[in-house]
Amino acid sequence: MENNKKVATNGNNERAERIKKLDLLKNSGIIPYASKFDKKQNLLEIRSMEIGSQVQTAGRIILFRDMGRITFCHLQDFWGKTQIVFKEDVLGKEKYRQMIKILDIGDFIGVNGEIFNTNKGELSVLVENFSFLSKALRPLPEKWHGLKDLEIMYRKRYLDFIMNEETRNRFKFRSDFIWELRNFYRDNGFDEIETPVLCNTPSGALAKPFKTHHNALDIDVFLRIAPEIYLKEAIIGGYEKIFEVARSFRNEGIDPSHLQDFTMVEHYGAYWDFEMNMDFTEKMFTTLISKLKGSLQFEIMNRDGEMVKVDFSSPWKRVSFRELLIKDCGIDIDKEETVEKLRLAIREKNINIDEMEKLGRGNLIDALYKEVSRKKLVDPVFLINHPIDVSPLARRNDDNPMVTDRFQLVVNGWEIVNAY
């Protein structure tokens, strides 16, 4: 408790000192929160420029080291960070001293200067002039320990962005992925449409919806759990290839693979069967991954939090639900026609499934798959021929009406795609 009080006191003291510097800025005629700056290069671009080039850039100070007549800072923006160097004999004594007095870690500044290498060979910008852009009144998390608390990282994402490059890269990758995804659909003749988020009836999946009230119409409405129905109506109306990047909402449990509000992508192709859809899905993922990652082999976290190398190289395996379960546990679900027989077979194999007595045959088959098979699927696998009990609304297969024309794409234990 005493340590927490001390940390809080130190934080309050530092904030008070920063407010004094804010007043100093104002009294010196410097606008503490500038309206604009003409930033010509980001900090990643600077690192590829030639020595001697003139630059005009801006960012947040994340390191400040005063060495007397020379000061070293690290400037950071969304794309990277670069060292900048202030010298008294370059700026002039008065402006240099002013810089020392007003700058803190967390402040935003704009700089003009020349690219050079320090004696230690670090590419840097020698500052010839600087503009104060924004005063930070609260200190950043301590540099060497960074921000590790997941609760704070999720609730204060802005701090996570500042302190963790991995987080910034993840968000940038997601943006690039969505951009390339849209390009791929467009290149393959798809149109993007936008469907309603507020629905009179929640449909398209088995999930508990969020409910709200429409004041103008005085009716209760639901946030969509999936865009499926509206997209199918568009196909009925004459579209042949459509997709949507759809924000969806499900008022259910939370875990690493389930959030209450999330983005799902749905596409529909008229005149396609599920095998054509698998071909298209495999082409889409391999194209996007090659473009964004530069390789079809990279590490992905599994359900146990371990990083595992996954190979997305074509062709991907296509495995029937029945064959997979026979291989992994020796149970042939086609021979266990009733839920009672299936329960008995599971017990004989000493396989533990929570609340097995409460599950019907379809849910029990799905639970068995998740218990004995899913975590073993590392490289991409199309899981096909789901029993009709598991997918009662899916299209029955023409050759075997006891299975469906449905597929799931499973990667490293994660169900990435579900298609009917």
Side-chain angles (χ1 to χ4, degrees):
M1 183 66 70
E2 291 299 320
N3 288 338
N4 290 339
K5 288 182 178 179
K6 184 175 180 180
V7 170
T9 301
N10 290 341
N12 290 336
N13 289 342
E14 184 164 352
R15 186 171 187 273
E17 289 299 316
R18 287 170 179 250
I19 290 176
K20 288 181 181 179
K21 292 185 179 183
L22 179 66
D23 293 334
L24 177 62
L25 285 166
K26 294 176 181 177
N27 294 334
S28 301
I30 300 173
I31 298 174
Y33 299 102
S35 62
K36 64 177 182 178
F37 180 81
D38 186 14
K39 183 175 179 177
K40 297 186 181 299
Q41 302 93 10
N42 66 50
L43 296 178
L44 179 62
E45 291 171 333
I46 286 175
R47 303 197 68 80
S48 62
M49 295 174 67
E50 294 182 358
I51 301 298
S53 299
Q54 287 290 316
V55 299
Q56 183 167 306
T57 191
R60 183 196 303 269
I61 297 172
I62 59 169
L63 182 144
F64 188 91
R65 191 165 66 245
D66 176 13
M67 309 290 289
R69 295 184 178 181
I70 186 171
T71 297
F72 297 90
C73 296
H74 284 173
L75 206 62
Q76 176 179 288
D77 64 10
F78 186 78
W79 292 271
K81 64 181 179 180
T82 298
Q83 180 168 272
I84 60 173
V85 180
F86 297 92
K87 287 186 176 182
E88 184 180 277
D89 59 354
V90 174
L91 287 176
K93 186 173 183 179
E94 182 178 347
K95 190 159 188 177
Y96 181 81
R97 290 300 160 192
Q98 181 189 55
M99 178 272 299
I100 296 294
K101 290 180 180 179
I102 63 175
L103 291 186
D104 283 307
I105 291 176
D107 291 349
F108 281 87
I109 60 171
V111 299
N112 299 75
E114 181 179 306
I115 297 176
F116 78 108
N117 277 329
T118 64
N119 292 335
K120 293 184 177 181
E122 182 172 356
L123 186 141
S124 307
V125 175
L126 180 60
V127 179
E128 299 168 354
N129 193 21
F130 74 93
S131 303
F132 195 89
L133 301 181
S134 183
K135 186 67 187 172
L137 299 183
R138 295 186 183 276
L140 298 179
E142 203 278 319
K143 174 183 179 292
W144 302 113
H145 298 296
L147 185 64
K148 304 297 182 184
D149 188 294
L150 283 176
E151 182 78 9
I152 296 177
M153 289 166 62
Y154 291 158
R155 291 187 179 277
K156 298 184 177 181
R157 189 60 92 176
Y158 56 94
L159 288 180
D160 191 19
F161 281 147
I162 295 170
M163 302 306 298
N164 295 320
E165 182 180 8
E166 181 183 358
T167 299
R168 297 193 300 274
N169 289 341
R170 187 183 305 120
F171 272 68
K172 184 65 168 61
F173 178 83
R174 183 187 187 280
S175 176
D176 292 342
F177 182 87
I178 296 297
W179 182 267
E180 293 297 341
L181 180 73
R182 285 190 162 105
N183 286 340
F184 183 85
Y185 275 124
R186 175 64 68 179
D187 291 343
N188 283 272
F190 280 75
D191 290 307
E192 181 175 8
I193 66 173
E194 188 175 33
T195 62
V197 170
L198 297 178
C199 309
N200 292 325
T201 303
S203 58
L206 292 175
K208 183 178 180 180
F210 285 92
K211 184 179 180 180
T212 188
H213 188 76
H214 195 303
N215 289 334
L217 298 178
D218 193 25
I219 59 172
D220 288 337
V221 292
F222 302 90
L223 275 66
R224 69 180 173 199
I225 57 178
E228 177 179 334
I229 300 301
Y230 290 113
L231 291 173
K232 287 180 175 177
E233 288 176 351
I235 292 289
I236 293 171
Y239 275 102
E240 295 190 359
K241 291 182 177 181
I242 56 171
F243 77 98
E244 182 175 9
V245 181
R247 200 68 178 174
S248 301
F249 309 86
R250 298 181 182 182
N251 196 4
E252 298 181 337
I254 185 171
D255 64 42
S257 63
H258 295 88
L259 292 176
Q260 279 70 35
D261 64 301
F262 61 98
T263 301
M264 68 187 306
V265 179
E266 285 202 16
H267 71 243
Y268 291 85
Y271 313 113
W272 283 8
D273 65 7
F274 80 108
E275 292 183 339
M276 295 169 70
N277 204 349
M278 280 191 286
D279 292 339
F280 177 81
T281 300
E282 183 170 340
K283 177 185 175 184
M284 177 172 67
F285 272 92
T286 54
T287 300
L288 296 181
I289 291 170
S290 295
K291 186 171 291 188
L292 294 170
K293 302 290 288 186
S295 171
L296 290 173
Q297 298 180 2
F298 59 96
E299 290 189 337
I300 297 176
M301 184 180 294
N302 65 16
R303 289 181 174 271
D304 296 324
E306 303 165 336
M307 299 303 294
V308 178
K309 189 173 184 179
V310 178
D311 187 356
F312 282 84
S313 300
S314 295
W316 296 350
K317 291 182 180 179
R318 300 182 181 188
V319 181
S320 79
F321 217 99
R322 173 175 174 258
E323 291 170 354
L324 184 66
L325 290 176
I326 291 174
K327 178 176 71 72
D328 290 336
C329 69
I331 295 177
D332 186 345
I333 55 176
D334 282 3
K335 294 181 179 180
E336 315 301 340
E337 302 97 340
T338 67
V339 67
E340 290 79 14
K341 288 184 177 180
L342 182 57
R343 288 189 190 123
L344 180 61
I346 291 173
R347 290 194 189 96
E348 290 175 347
K349 296 290 184 179
N350 294 318
I351 300 170
N352 295 317
I353 295 177
D354 292 338
E355 299 184 330
M356 183 167 63
E357 298 299 328
K358 297 181 181 180
L359 301 178
R361 187 173 184 273
N363 287 333
L364 185 54
I365 292 173
D366 187 56
L368 178 62
Y369 148 71
K370 290 176 179 176
E371 178 65 27
V372 303
S373 297
R374 185 171 64 178
K375 61 184 177 183
K376 298 177 182 179
L377 303 177
V378 177
D379 291 340
V381 173
F382 284 121
L383 187 59
I384 61 175
N385 297 337
H386 293 64
I388 195 70
D389 306 62
V390 175
S391 309
L393 299 181
R395 184 184 186 278
R396 291 175 182 261
N397 184 267
D398 292 334
D399 298 323
N400 182 2
M402 298 309 296
V403 300
T404 61
D405 287 348
R406 172 192 173 189
F407 71 84
Q408 288 176 289
L409 173 60
V410 183
V411 178
N412 203 20
W414 303 104
E415 291 159 354
I416 306 300
V417 174
N418 194 14
Y420 297 86

